[in-house]
Amino acid sequence: MTAIANRYEFVLLFDVTNGNPNGDPDAGNLPRLDPETNQGLVTDVCLKRKIRNYVALEKEDEPGHGIYMQEKSVLNQQHQKAYEALEIKPEAKKLPKDQAKARELTAWMCGNFFDVRTFGAVMTTEVNAGQVRGPVQLAFATSIDPVVPMEVSITRMAVTNEKDLEKERTMGRKHIVPYGLYRVHGYVSAKLAERTGFSDDDLELLWRSLTNMFEHDRSAARGEIAARKLIVFKHDNPMGNAPAHRLFDSVQITRVEGEQETPARSYQNYVIAIDREAIPAGVSVEERL
Amino acid sequence: MSYGIRLHIWGERACFTRPELKTERFSYDVITPSAARGILEAIHWKPAIRWCVDRIHVLKPIRFESIRRNEVAGKLPASTVSKGIKSGRTDEVCYYVDQNRQQRAATVLRDVGYVIEAHFEFTARADDSDTAGKHLDIFNRRARQGQCFHHPCLGTREFPANFELIEADVQMPIVDNDLSGERDLGFMLHDIDFANGKAPRFYRARMIDGVIEVPPFAEALA
């Protein structure tokens, strides 16, 4: 597979309705908030998890599309297999000293695992080649406007423990964001792609996963999340033709005229404009969604 | 010694992790020379040159924010991979994140802006074709056009860095009033000595009106 020959940047817009896009373990699973601005946050790793899950779902066990960072687990089965296959000398458990060997390992990992090829991975080798830096880099997603999380108390008509029997029911809490439109920036480096073999097919798969990942991540906590727009900037030059921040600045998101004072409750409350004049020569813009 | 460059970098968040507080990451107050070098290398680097950071200008007030995330606890052993290669299958080579969970907090910087003043020196691997002008031109051209090898980041990759070249005849961006006066930032990582078994080297960072003079690497404390 030949690696991609262009640098890319992308802006993904997604929105959440009555759900919690990303809970904060520090705040009792409340939606993450920027403490200074009250804008909602979704971490980069949260989105990468969804991309991995989508790829695992679409590709199932297709060769070359393994997912190294797995979510669900089959506990002992894995360990057993490891015992069976164990014909490696004890010292091999340590780090391969010679570089060629380490490179071989890395190359094999890149070839077989989509997430290693895309996001990189750290493998325990002392040699530098054991660490892969992937071409795709995501930043935190932030909501356009401040979000106000709501706490919704719910009841369950059953109890878990026998001793609680006389209570008859238990109460729980859900934290939701009534509405939030989130924006995330991403970068794809052609030069790092060369090193991991991230190909054009992989790139297509990445775009597909970005637009579809929320469709396969429905749950009680998430509410309704949907990818709304994916704007891709393609540079002619592998090193790039324009600063990334200038491209990102060309995507302006504003509230519908006259509605600025009211809280947003749907995607229709926003206007998305791409200032195509501001985009320098050598960069093409594509709207994928 | 060759001509210097000035690069303006800024971003929403940054995490220049203190080595003594790295399980629950805690950022230094300002960018380290090592992180600054990494940013320059993301734009242009060849084995023939070595970037040396001379001065760091801190433009914005130092503020922190805390983020807690679910992270994985371990790394993939190389032996697992060789096992996978041998048996020709990938189903054993994986990592179950929910069994190896760690929740870690990171105290990161908010809304940062810096100017890095740096120059490069030639290494032993330079040959006749490596002239100062050539590398300087490549760097300046790339920085001017926003080109980069991979996108530079502010400490960790989830915090991308925006960058802009400050041309020779252009004024420096204004330093925030909060930073006036002298401030002792304590001992900070200067860089890692890769020639010497990756030993860290430190220096005493002193910020005067937002400017930190970075001593040459050779003078940093082992």
Side-chain angles (χ1 to χ4, degrees):
Chain A
M1 278 193 284
T2 45
I4 54 167
N6 302 81
R7 187 181 116 182
Y8 296 85
E9 264 96 38
F10 58 89
V11 178
L12 174 70
L13 297 177
F14 62 92
D15 67 350
V16 55
T17 312
N18 293 331
N20 183 357
N22 188 200
D24 187 347
D26 247 355
N29 208 35
L30 237 79
R32 288 184 192 273
L33 283 184
D34 179 327
E36 282 178 355
T37 61
N38 276 334
Q39 283 166 305
L41 287 182
V42 174
T43 59
D44 59 316
V45 281
C46 169
L47 297 170
K48 284 188 200 171
R49 175 79 265 155
K50 297 195 196 331
I51 294 173
R52 286 187 169 105
N53 289 354
Y54 176 81
V55 172
L57 212 64
E58 189 195 300
K59 292 291 177 186
E60 301 258 336
D61 285 328
E62 218 170 284
H65 289 89
I67 294 296
Y68 156 54
M69 289 282 174
Q70 300 256 354
E71 206 169 32
K72 301 167 276 295
S73 58
V74 195
L75 283 162
N76 289 323
Q77 203 184 328
Q78 294 297 329
H79 298 176
Q80 246 170 27
K81 277 187 195 155
Y83 277 112
E84 283 163 29
L86 198 84
E87 11 160 326
I88 293 185
K89 291 179 212 104
E91 65 260 29
K93 277 211 164 143
K94 280 200 175 164
L95 324 159
K97 280 282 182 304
D98 94 84
Q99 293 225 5
K101 179 90 179 136
R103 265 197 218 111
E104 191 188 320
L105 295 181
T106 316
W108 186 82
M109 286 300 287
C110 287
N112 283 287
F113 292 91
F114 178 80
D115 56 340
V116 176
R117 205 155 61 228
T118 307
F119 304 126
V122 178
M123 290 190 287
T124 313
T125 57
E126 219 156 44
V127 199
N128 243 347
Q131 229 186 61
V132 189
R133 194 162 39 174
V136 177
Q137 186 182 352
L138 285 177
F140 278 16
T142 28
S143 67
I144 308 301
D145 289 314
V147 293
V148 184
M150 263 171 32
E151 194 180 306
V152 183
S153 287
I154 48 172
T155 56
R156 182 174 66 161
M157 300 316 246
V159 292
T160 315
N161 292 319
E162 228 170 312
K163 64 175 191 292
D164 294 330
L165 207 60
E166 71 276 9
K167 281 196 206 154
E168 285 182 340
R169 64 175 74 170
T170 38
M171 304 270 292
R173 282 179 307 174
K174 277 180 110 159
H175 298 286
I176 60 165
V177 172
Y179 183 80
L181 180 64
Y182 289 75
R183 170 179 183 152
V184 60
H185 293 169
Y187 309 80
V188 186
S189 154
K191 287 289 167 184
L192 291 181
E194 248 170 50
R195 279 152 181 73
T196 68
F198 182 81
S199 67
D200 282 314
D201 285 349
D202 292 330
L203 189 72
E204 282 303 318
L205 179 56
L206 178 75
W207 301 145
R208 257 201 320 281
S209 62
L210 285 171
T211 50
N212 287 320
M213 59 188 180
F214 299 113
E215 307 297 330
H216 302 280
D217 186 55
R218 304 278 178 222
S219 80
R222 295 272 171 265
E224 291 169 53
I225 303 196
R228 289 295 189 168
K229 204 169 247 330
L230 175 61
I231 300 158
V232 176
F233 300 100
K234 179 179 181 180
H235 300 251
D236 289 345
N237 190 310
M239 303 298 282
N241 292 65
H245 63 270
R246 219 168 285 162
L247 300 177
F248 292 139
D249 287 348
S250 71
V251 179
Q252 291 290 337
I253 300 161
T254 45
R255 289 294 304 279
V256 170
E257 193 58 38
E259 280 188 9
Q260 281 87 341
E261 299 307 311
T262 58
R265 282 296 179 264
S266 89
Y267 186 59
Q268 276 66 42
N269 296 151
Y270 286 97
V271 183
I272 285 118
I274 307 170
D275 183 3
R276 286 173 196 271
E277 306 273 291
I279 290 160
V283 180
S284 49
V285 193
E286 204 180 326
E287 287 183 54
R288 286 277 172 157
L289 185 72
Chain B
M1 186 80 184
S2 74
Y3 310 94
I5 56 101
R6 291 185 303 174
L7 189 73
H8 181 199
I9 52 168
W10 71 98
E12 283 273 290
R13 292 181 183 79
C15 183
F16 309 107
T17 309
R18 287 174 183 271
E20 66 273 26
L21 296 167
K22 63 180 182 183
T23 39
E24 300 244 321
R25 279 177 227 103
F26 199 104
S27 177
Y28 277 119
D29 290 350
V30 299
I31 189 170
T32 59
S34 158
R37 175 180 59 82
I39 288 174
L40 301 175
E41 285 175 358
I43 297 169
H44 172 66
W45 178 78
K46 279 270 152 32
I49 63 168
R50 181 193 301 123
W51 284 105
C52 307
V53 177
D54 302 315
R55 222 160 281 114
I56 291 165
H57 300 252
V58 184
L59 305 175
K60 297 199 174 162
I62 295 162
R63 290 182 306 168
F64 290 95
E65 175 184 307
S66 161
I67 303 162
R68 187 178 292 268
R69 281 171 288 188
N70 289 328
E71 301 180 11
V72 292
K75 290 182 280 187
L76 173 71
S79 58
T80 323
V81 185
S82 32
K83 218 176 293 166
I85 296 177
K86 230 176 246 175
S87 59
R89 44 198 294 186
T90 55
D91 50 349
E92 287 159 25
V93 189
C94 62
Y95 198 89
Y96 291 112
V97 285
D98 43 8
Q99 283 170 55
N100 296 283
R101 255 291 172 256
Q102 272 182 356
Q103 285 197 339
R104 292 208 217 162
T107 309
V108 304
L109 291 167
R110 242 349 267 282
D111 189 22
V112 298
Y114 304 102
V115 173
I116 304 168
E117 278 190 70
H119 68 275
F120 61 82
E121 283 168 4
F122 289 110
T123 64
R125 293 174 66 179
D127 56 34
D128 295 344
S129 67
D130 291 304
T131 58
K134 170 181 134 183
H135 289 290
L136 197 68
D137 275 354
I138 298 176
F139 182 88
N140 284 338
R141 192 175 63 234
R142 286 191 183 169
R144 204 172 283 142
Q145 297 179 6
Q147 298 187 323
C148 53
F149 187 87
H150 60 88
H151 202 83
C153 64
L154 295 162
T156 54
R157 287 192 84 195
E158 61 268 37
F159 307 133
N162 300 317
F163 61 94
E164 210 159 56
L165 185 73
I166 302 182
E167 308 280 352
D169 51 352
V170 173
Q171 279 275 304
M172 291 278 296
I174 303 155
V175 173
D176 194 278
N177 278 336
D178 264 28
L179 299 168
S180 53
E182 187 177 336
R183 211 184 291 192
D184 186 353
L185 301 174
F187 281 103
M188 277 181 70
L189 178 75
H190 187 298
D191 211 326
I192 308 283
D193 193 352
F194 290 96
N196 241 329
K198 295 187 187 168
R201 301 265 214 115
F202 296 87
Y203 78 113
R204 188 88 195 216
R206 232 173 258 289
M207 180 165 70
I208 300 166
D209 294 335
V211 183
I212 302 165
E213 292 284 338
V214 180
F217 185 53
E219 287 173 26
L221 308 160

